[in-house]
Amino acid sequence: MYKFITIALIIYGVYYVWRAYLNMKNLKKNMDDNPKELLIGYDAQINGLRRQLAETNEIIARDQGFPPSFSVNRRLKKSKRQQEKLMQRIKQKEAARSNYLKLLRSYQDGEIDKVALKKWVNENQRR
């Protein structure tokens, strides 16, 4: 039993290190080949989230014009929760974009910002 647990932990450790290594390798390749590609991806994600936020704001504004009822109040609560989640995701994507920009600048200067690199790797391992 202990051998099985030990082997499983070793396999997981190797997988974790290998995944981090591949993330770093892909990041270096992207920074060398086409550094703006990830920025364009971040911008597209942020714009999509802002579009969803605008639609949610329209729904909230429309529902606030109706007289209060159970279904209207439920839709308002749901829309406001969705609005908060979208705002949080937008902030996270903007922080990830600025972190990537910081990492890209330091890489182009010839030195790596280790704090930004660690944040980027941790963020991409959660996917």
Side-chain angles (χ1 to χ4, degrees):
M1 181 70 177
Y2 293 113
K3 288 181 182 179
F4 178 71
I5 292 172
T6 305
I7 291 171
L9 288 175
I10 290 171
I11 290 172
Y12 179 74
V14 168
Y15 169 74
Y16 185 79
V17 169
W18 183 254
R19 193 172 69 180
Y21 170 74
L22 287 179
N23 279 341
M24 299 277 286
K25 187 176 175 183
N26 288 337
L27 175 65
K28 184 180 181 318
K29 182 178 179 249
N30 285 338
M31 281 196 227
D32 287 338
D33 295 343
N34 193 2
K36 306 249 182 214
E37 184 176 330
L38 283 175
L39 290 175
I40 292 169
Y42 280 129
D43 289 339
Q45 290 173 1
I46 291 171
N47 289 336
L49 290 172
R50 285 189 178 145
R51 242 181 272 115
Q52 289 177 0
L53 182 64
E55 291 171 3
T56 304
N57 288 339
E58 288 175 9
I59 291 171
I60 290 172
R62 184 182 66 222
D63 286 347
Q64 285 178 343
F66 291 125
S69 70
F70 180 72
S71 62
V72 170
N73 288 340
R74 188 174 59 205
R75 268 196 326 250
L76 271 172
K77 284 182 183 178
K78 182 180 175 186
S79 296
K80 286 183 181 182
R81 277 195 308 265
Q82 184 178 7
Q83 181 185 34
E84 290 173 9
K85 287 180 183 178
L86 287 171
M87 290 294 292
Q88 183 181 11
R89 288 179 62 199
I90 288 172
K91 287 178 185 176
Q92 287 174 345
K93 290 294 178 185
E94 287 175 344
R97 183 183 186 281
S98 66
N99 186 44
Y100 177 71
L101 274 174
K102 186 189 309 181
L103 186 61
L104 182 63
R105 283 189 201 116
S106 68
Y107 179 73
Q108 289 173 344
D109 291 341
E111 55 189 46
I112 295 291
D113 183 5
K114 293 188 184 202
V115 174
L117 181 62
K118 188 174 183 179
K119 281 183 185 178
W120 192 89
V121 168
N122 287 337
E123 173 195 308
N124 286 321
Q125 284 185 348
R126 285 190 220 126
R127 289 183 187 175

